[in-house]
Amino acid sequence: MTLRERHKTILDLLRDSGSVDVGSLSQRLKVSAVTIRKDLDQLEEKKLLYRTHGGAILADPYIATRKVSEKEKLHPEVKRRIGQRAVELLAAQDALIIASGTTVQAFARCIPNMKMTVITSAMNVAMELLDKHDIEIIQLGGIIRHSSASVVSEYAVRMLENFTCSKLFLGVDGIDPTYGLSTTHLQEACLNRAMIQAATKTVVLADSSKFGRRGFSKICDMGDIDLVITDSRVSPKMLEAMNEQGVKVAVVPYPEE
């Protein structure tokens, strides 16, 4: 197999599974581990993949902060479908926590007018619920992050100490089976951890682009959550890794399917 053929095979495998490791590639392509490492280094120099310990992934795992107005334009139909699936978990008289992010905003938009209480850190989530008069809204206080339209501070954490809720719907910037859940902001991660402590059940709403990514601040381990709702473009390898850690996953069809 030529160098070009090896590189093509490596990239094809990456597109299929989202990640590759040196040992498996060495066996599959019948070359040494040293040769595979050189191949991966060359492909990374061309910005076709990102090297990890012992292998490579297709997308840059480190996430830069984006404004909520930019995030809202990404995968809107996928987020709507995830939101609709999350609504199926609701019951009358629920007491919910809804965190920040455009996927949970899409979920809030899908919630029907029904008797329940919603605690939220996100101003855009509160605005989505404002005309639904049977929903009591509790807005957490604190410093507003302009990029996310949500509050973060010790004040918000202290407010949560006074509540116990049935479900938390959490948006994240990154999901990595090894690293856990993460966000780009340190104080937001602290607030998210307090939300997890205040809820009986934690449901993560995240489209498939969030998998294999890492934000600056870790929120929690995979074992600290109960359910992930995502779309059908999530890789089988990611699904298997979550299943091994006891995390349930609900998958909605990607719009093109």
Side-chain angles (χ1 to χ4, degrees), residues 18 38 69 128 140 143 158 163 174 200 216 218:
K38 288 180 180 178
S69 57
E128 294 290 350
L140 296 176
I143 300 166
R158 287 179 181 175
F163 302 113
T200 303
F216 172 73
K218 181 175 177 176

Side-chain angles (χ1 to χ4, degrees), residues 87 89-96 113-117 166-167:
V87 165
L89 303 174
L90 302 182
Q93 306 300 330
D94 253 337
L96 310 179
N113 185 34
M114 57 192 293
K115 289 286 185 182
M116 65 167 58
T117 299
S166 53
K167 302 177 187 79

Side-chain angles (χ1 to χ4, degrees), residues 58-121:
L58 194 58
D60 185 350
Y62 300 103
I63 308 158
T65 301
R66 287 181 175 178
K67 292 182 179 179
V68 68
S69 57
E70 296 175 7
K71 290 182 178 180
E72 197 171 4
K73 298 173 184 176
L74 300 173
H75 319 296
E77 176 59 19
V78 172
K79 292 173 182 176
R80 186 187 69 81
R81 293 188 182 195
I82 291 172
Q84 287 181 325
R85 176 64 180 82
V87 165
E88 297 175 17
L89 303 174
L90 302 182
Q93 306 300 330
D94 253 337
L96 310 179
I97 304 173
I98 302 180
S100 63
T102 54
T103 308
V104 293
Q105 180 187 4
F107 161 60
R109 195 175 296 138
C110 294
I111 296 175
N113 185 34
M114 57 192 293
K115 289 286 185 182
M116 65 167 58
T117 299
V118 172
I119 301 170
T120 185
S121 59

Side-chain angles (χ1 to χ4, degrees), residues 16-17 19 21 24 175-178 211 222 228 230-231 233-251:
D16 289 340
S17 63
S19 65
D21 64 86
S24 297
I175 301 178
D176 184 294
T178 303
F211 286 82
M222 295 299 297
V228 176
T230 187
D231 65 80
R233 284 197 171 180
V234 65
S235 74
K237 188 173 182 178
M238 287 292 179
L239 292 175
E240 182 182 353
M242 287 188 289
N243 182 59
E244 288 174 353
Q245 296 188 51
V247 179
K248 295 180 180 178
V249 184
V251 178

